[in-house]
Amino acid sequence: MKTPASTDRVPTGAHVARDESTRDRVARSILTNGPSSAAVLAERLELTPAAVRRHLDHLLDEGLVEAREERVYGPRGRGRPAKVFVLTDTGRHAFHQAYDALATTALRFIAEAGGEQAVADFARRRIAEVEERYRALVDAAPEGKKAEALAQALTTDGYAASTQQAGTGEQLCQHHCPVAHVAEQFPQLCEAETEVFARVLGKHVQRLATIAHGDGVCTTHIPGHTPVTPVSDGESARTAR
């Protein structure tokens, strides 16, 4: 006959860890797939509806998710709209912190294995993936609106960018940087970005300030009427340090 202290019982610590792992799966599913109802989450994650609701209640209490009415496009049927759950800004920030840690670890490994040049090569390859898209938008913009077109493209990618006049030139201001915590340790990311700005705009731009180095805004000076001079890889205004 087993006593109440039977070893078949799951230890409290293991039970908590399992709960946290499942809760992370619920939150990550919402992050990846967008607003989701409890029923959809249960089916997607192969969990019982009761288990999903329990984890959602915990995420709600922590302010990581919030409930909203599901948007219905077209005629709405009878009954109340289904309730869906979305990540809050706090919830998204929690995931971004995890990604920052992973990215920093990966770049540190690259630096140890291949040196600082390997990190610079990685940074250039990363930003090159969006360079052609930026170039197409800038080239299509009328003269005098090219910096603004670049700012709009950056805003779409999460940089909250804008432009303002500065003497005979302009300043490109990025009010948010999704990779600021990583760039703080690896300025090659900022340098590669500056190189792309120069190539896309066809001007020798100058980075004046970066969020990664403690400034409130990433600021890049774009000169006014200057001859177009191509900028090659490895050549940029490396003043972000």
Side-chain angles (χ1 to χ4, degrees), residues 12 15 17 86 90 101 119 171 197 199 241:
T12 301
H15 180 73
V86 298
T90 301
V119 176
Q171 285 187 352
F197 291 171
R199 288 198 298 271
R241 294 187 181 182

Side-chain angles (χ1 to χ4, degrees), residues 166-216:
T168 58
E170 295 177 273
Q171 285 187 352
L172 175 65
C173 302
Q174 295 160 260
H175 303 274
H176 176 66
C177 177
V179 297
H181 293 98
V182 183
E184 182 179 352
Q185 298 184 50
F186 297 96
Q188 294 93 331
L189 297 175
C190 298
E191 293 167 3
E193 183 181 73
T194 307
E195 291 173 6
V196 165
F197 291 171
R199 288 198 298 271
V200 167
L201 294 169
K203 297 180 178 181
H204 282 295
V205 303
Q206 183 181 20
R207 184 60 66 91
L208 303 178
T210 63
I211 295 173
H213 291 82
D215 301 299

Side-chain angles (χ1 to χ4, degrees), residues 89 92-93 96-97 100 126 134 151 153-162 172-181 183 190 193 197 207 209-212 215-219:
D89 289 341
R92 290 183 179 277
H93 183 65
H96 290 160
Q97 284 184 321
D100 285 350
R126 171 186 170 274
Y134 288 176
L154 288 165
T155 296
T156 300
D157 286 347
Y159 289 88
S162 63
L172 175 65
C173 302
Q174 295 160 260
H175 303 274
H176 176 66
C177 177
V179 297
H181 293 98
C190 298
E193 183 181 73
F197 291 171
R207 184 60 66 91
T210 63
I211 295 173
D215 301 299
V217 179
C218 292
T219 306

